[in-house]
Amino acid sequence: MRAVPLMCLLALGVTGVLCLPSRPKKGSGTERVHDSQPSSEEHFAGEDHNANYDHDAFLGSEEAKKFETLTPEQSRERLRMLVPRVDTDKDGYVTEDELKNWVRFTQHRYIMEDVGKQWETHDTDKDGMLTWPEYRNTTYGPLTEEQMNQPEYHQYKKLFYRDQHRWGKADANNDKALTKDEYAAFLHPEEFEHMKTLVVDETLEDIDDDKDGYVSLEEYIDDMWPARDRKEGAAEPDWVKSEREQFGQYRDKNSDGRMDRAEVKAWIIPPDYDHAEAEAKHLIYESDEDKDGKLTATEIVDKYDLFAGSQATDYGEALNRHEEF
């Protein structure tokens, strides 16, 4: 996902501070993969299960943080109060589909909360629409075209034109202003089908150093393990050797020694794995005591440490929200 925080730098030749969107640095290869996982936590470390992943998936990461202050009794009680929101057909059971939809709802809520936080900063005239000049002024400040053409502003210029191009793609109705949904596509293009081609374009722009339209093995490794991080004479780390193998076995599907656009897309936006469905299956498998393929409120509450934990999660605010699922 596109990074949210702003990185403020003193702009050479410009009075004041220039705020630019922070970007992943070259060398953050694994961060290029947009697989819509419901948590930034690792679900399993070897055979060790990390319940924090499940907490984030079921409650959302921000909600899960607040649960850390609850006693086990409070955790169980609040979780019991949440179950009817997940049980959308109100039959007294939570099915796999209902759990899957709830996890997806939680993921979408994170995206829209992210949009809402940034919207207040950028929508300076408070008209409910976001124009490119508004975003440009609040993000890039008073830089002129002449200044951006100066060598010291090369990186700023690259980011500026990338954002401008992404803005145009996100403006689905071409009315020169973004709605909140369109702004969500701008911030999180990997989540929107019509933006996924752009995600591939931006990845190639970053990694394809020789601009031949492909990612070679050398370019792939250099993105994850750049020259500046390598110690002279040091052996190649095992994880890099593993990535070389991954490239040959899984990334370069036609075995021509490079990744084309389709292969790059399959790498950074994996098409075949539904994390919400996998999480729903996992939660039912771990909690379904009578093995009927669905969960009662009691089964969920009995496994409160899996769904929410206590003094280790966040749920509180979920009960205070008024948006309908």
Side-chain angles (χ1 to χ4, degrees):
M1 294 184 181
R2 187 175 187 276
V4 175
L6 292 180
M7 173 179 60
C8 293
L9 302 172
L10 184 65
L12 300 175
V14 177
T15 302
V17 174
L18 174 66
C19 290
L20 293 175
S22 60
R23 301 284 183 156
K25 295 179 180 179
K26 193 174 179 67
S28 57
T30 57
E31 296 175 10
R32 294 194 183 280
V33 180
H34 307 283
D35 58 1
S36 298
Q37 289 207 52
S39 174
S40 59
E41 298 271 353
E42 291 290 337
H43 201 178
F44 290 90
E47 297 183 357
D48 295 329
H49 174 244
N50 178 12
N52 287 332
Y53 179 100
D54 302 306
H55 302 165
D56 288 352
F58 189 70
L59 301 170
S61 59
E62 290 301 316
E63 295 291 326
K65 291 175 186 175
K66 298 171 189 149
F67 227 66
E68 297 175 1
T69 63
L70 300 180
T71 65
E73 292 74 20
Q74 290 172 325
S75 176
R76 291 188 188 98
E77 180 59 26
R78 295 192 179 191
L79 186 57
R80 186 179 294 278
M81 294 170 64
L82 179 61
V83 171
R85 293 186 63 193
V86 186
D87 176 21
T88 52
D89 64 6
K90 309 305 179 189
D91 67 348
Y93 297 95
V94 172
T95 64
E96 181 183 314
D97 278 345
E98 287 172 329
L99 266 179
K100 178 175 64 177
N101 290 336
W102 177 261
V103 171
R104 287 175 178 165
F105 163 72
T106 301
Q107 290 176 276
H108 181 70
R109 185 176 66 197
Y110 158 75
I111 291 174
M112 296 315 295
E113 285 177 346
D114 182 23
V115 169
K117 289 174 184 176
Q118 298 199 46
W119 188 270
E120 294 302 314
T121 298
H122 298 306
D123 182 21
T124 53
D125 63 7
K126 307 303 178 186
D127 67 347
M129 300 292 289
L130 198 55
T131 64
W132 172 250
E134 283 179 310
Y135 180 82
R136 170 181 172 152
N137 290 338
T138 54
T139 303
Y140 290 94
L143 272 182
T144 65
E145 187 72 24
E146 181 180 357
Q147 288 169 328
M148 281 198 295
N149 285 330
Q150 297 174 14
E152 60 265 33
Y153 290 108
H154 172 73
Q155 186 64 15
Y156 300 164
K157 182 177 181 179
K158 178 181 176 181
L159 296 180
F160 176 87
Y161 283 115
R162 172 175 289 190
D163 270 355
Q164 191 175 48
H165 179 64
R166 185 187 287 194
W167 190 275
K169 291 286 187 180
D171 183 15
N173 61 1
N174 295 313
D175 66 351
K176 309 302 181 185
L178 300 190
T179 63
K180 283 190 176 181
D181 285 340
E182 289 173 330
Y183 187 51
F186 173 78
L187 290 178
H188 301 274
E190 70 285 347
E191 299 292 339
F192 295 82
E193 195 60 40
H194 69 285
M195 299 290 286
K196 289 182 178 179
T197 298
L198 177 137
V199 178
V200 176
D201 291 340
E202 291 181 352
T203 301
L204 283 169
E205 182 182 354
D206 288 341
I207 304 178
D208 179 20
D209 292 330
D210 61 10
K211 305 305 175 188
D212 66 349
Y214 298 89
V215 174
S216 66
L217 173 60
E218 292 73 21
E219 290 167 334
Y220 176 79
I221 294 299
D222 185 53
D223 181 60
M224 298 185 177
W225 190 43
R228 65 171 180 272
D229 293 344
R230 306 177 192 181
K231 295 181 180 179
E232 188 174 354
E236 185 173 271
D238 288 342
W239 70 266
V240 176
K241 294 177 182 177
S242 176
E243 285 295 341
R244 290 186 185 279
E245 294 174 2
Q246 290 281 323
F247 185 93
Q249 293 177 11
Y250 302 109
R251 311 286 184 237
D252 177 20
K253 297 182 184 299
N254 61 5
S255 302
D256 66 351
R258 57 189 185 177
M259 285 193 288
D260 58 25
R261 289 183 60 87
E263 290 166 333
V264 169
K265 184 177 180 180
W267 165 44
I268 62 175
I269 311 175
D272 299 327
Y273 193 75
D274 186 334
H275 286 280
E277 180 179 351
E279 178 63 11
K281 290 180 182 295
H282 167 70
L283 292 173
I284 289 179
Y285 176 81
E286 295 291 340
S287 310
D288 184 16
E289 289 294 329
D290 60 10
K291 304 304 177 187
D292 64 350
K294 52 191 176 184
L295 303 180
T296 63
T298 298
E299 287 174 322
I300 291 173
V301 171
D302 284 349
K303 282 284 189 177
Y304 77 95
D305 54 340
L306 174 67
F307 286 87
S310 64
Q311 325 230 326
T313 315
D314 103 283
Y315 154 65
E317 198 171 317
L319 295 175
N320 298 323
R321 294 181 180 276
H322 298 291
E323 69 262 45
E324 293 293 326
F325 172 48

